[in-house]
Amino acid sequence: MCLAATVLLLAGGAWGLYQSGFFAACTSQQALQDYIARRAPYAQLWFFLLQLLSVVLAPIPSNITALAGGVLFGMWSAFLLTWAAVFLGSLLVFGLARALGRNFADQVVSRRLSEKYQAVIHAKTTVFLTLAFLFPYFPDDVLCILAGLTDISFRRFALIVLLTRPWGLLVASALGGSTVRVPIWGLATLGAAGLAIFVLGMKYGDRVEQWVLRHLVHHRKEPDQT
């Protein structure tokens, strides 16, 4: 019953977005900006709700909407609204997956994506989520749902989201607000560096994590010398 009600609510949210013209507006950056601007004087509230629903329904990456928000509201307003919505949305879908299980995940995540990521997300949950959230190569919102099917604690997941998901949103909001301008070659360099860091992290991330944990435990056991 809970699963059916949740799926119906999500379907209703998707239908509401379709009826409002949101999906048609996603065809271009200018159309998306116009779509949000037409909601004045409640444009910022509508923007927040869009970002929240984009995490739950995942129609487009939050970074794209954050870019439009940066143009309309400026860097910091767009970033704070987006970050609050993404944080809440990430915890929401994680909690739904944890409570409703595989049946819920199968309703909202395609089998292709589920099969692609479920093995690595179970084997290297903390390391993989940290790296995937830091770099813009992965379906972050989908990974939040799949993470709910692992044994990672809610507290650890919330901490990973808190520390890793803001940075891409901040860059997108800054680009939209014309605070930061990066040439094409710069974006390519950043992308290549991000991919290299991700590959190294997947290969050696467990060793680094264990090293940090061992040292934390060691220092915690040492008596106070002061």
Side-chain angles (χ1 to χ4, degrees):
M1 181 64 71
C2 290
L3 175 61
T6 301
V7 172
L8 284 175
L9 284 173
L10 293 179
W15 177 251
L17 286 177
Y18 173 77
Q19 287 292 91
S20 72
F22 173 71
F23 295 111
C26 291
T27 55
S28 73
Q29 189 71 32
Q30 186 60 53
L32 186 58
Q33 292 168 205
D34 294 341
Y35 169 84
I36 298 171
R38 286 197 299 270
R39 269 63 194 176
Y42 306 107
Q44 290 184 323
L45 175 61
W46 191 261
F47 176 76
F48 172 84
L49 293 175
L50 282 179
Q51 295 292 58
L52 180 62
L53 286 174
S54 75
V55 177
V56 179
L57 301 174
I60 61 169
S62 300
N63 289 348
I64 295 177
T65 321
L67 187 65
V71 175
L72 293 172
F73 311 124
M75 170 185 168
W76 288 111
S77 291
F79 168 68
L80 292 174
L81 288 169
T82 300
W83 169 224
V86 167
F87 183 68
L88 291 175
S90 299
L91 299 187
L92 174 61
V93 295
F94 177 90
L96 287 173
R98 178 62 53 88
L100 301 177
R102 171 62 64 180
N103 289 334
F104 167 74
D106 288 342
Q107 296 292 325
V108 293
V109 179
S110 70
R111 176 168 301 199
R112 180 184 65 83
L113 287 177
S114 182
E115 292 176 349
K116 182 178 181 179
Y117 293 114
Q118 64 182 356
V120 67
I121 203 172
H122 277 83
K124 298 187 175 184
T125 308
T126 299
V127 173
F128 177 70
L129 287 177
T130 300
L131 293 170
F133 288 161
L134 279 173
F135 303 112
Y137 307 112
F138 303 92
D140 295 354
D141 304 327
V142 168
L143 295 178
C144 290
I145 297 172
L146 296 179
L149 304 179
T150 70
D151 59 0
I152 187 174
S153 68
F154 183 86
R155 180 180 296 181
R156 174 173 285 204
F157 175 78
L159 182 61
I160 291 173
V161 172
L162 184 67
L163 295 178
T164 59
R165 293 206 72 179
W167 307 112
L169 303 175
L170 181 61
V171 171
S173 300
L175 289 172
S178 299
T179 305
V180 176
R181 294 188 181 277
V182 181
I184 296 298
W185 64 265
L187 292 175
T189 302
L190 290 173
L195 181 59
I197 292 171
F198 178 81
V199 172
L200 291 173
M202 289 301 296
K203 186 172 183 178
Y204 301 109
D206 284 342
R207 300 181 193 179
V208 174
E209 182 183 33
Q210 291 303 317
W211 183 86
V212 171
L213 290 175
R214 281 199 304 270
H215 279 70
L216 286 176
V217 172
H218 174 71
H219 286 301
R220 190 176 297 172
K221 290 181 178 179
E222 286 184 349
D224 190 357
Q225 301 297 325
T226 59

